[in-house]
Amino acid sequence: MNTDTARLALTDAAGWRKSSRSAWQNGCVELNGSISGYMGVRDSKLGADSPVLVFNLAEMQAFLGRVKNG
C-alpha cells in the first residue's frame, strides 16, 4: 500500500478519534490508525468532509517526538 491508497482507505474508514486531552469543543484534530502502517489526520470541525493527511508510522513518530521536545 502507498500513501495515496492509504488516504483513500482512511477517508472512508471508521475509527476516527479526537484527542482525549482536547479542551476545544469545535477545534481539534482527529486521528485514525485503522490502516496498518499509516496514520490519518483530519480537522474535527470538518469531519468526513475534511481532507486527510497521511503519515507513515516513522513520520508520525518523528513528528510526535519533536512536539514533545518542544
Side-chain angles (χ1 to χ4, degrees):
M1 181 176 292
N2 62 36
T3 302
D4 291 331
T5 305
R7 181 175 293 109
L8 289 173
L10 284 164
T11 298
D12 293 330
W16 288 97
R17 61 183 173 83
K18 189 164 63 166
S19 171
S20 61
R21 295 182 181 218
S22 174
W24 295 20
Q25 293 296 323
N26 296 321
C28 193
V29 296
E30 294 178 312
L31 302 173
N32 188 328
S34 64
I35 304 299
S36 181
Y38 294 92
M39 180 66 68
V41 180
R42 72 180 184 186
D43 185 338
S44 66
K45 291 185 303 294
L46 301 175
D49 292 329
S50 177
V52 176
L53 301 175
V54 177
F55 302 94
N56 67 40
L57 295 184
E59 292 167 334
M60 190 56 126
Q61 289 171 342
F63 170 73
L64 292 176
R66 289 184 178 138
V67 168
K68 289 177 184 178
N69 290 325

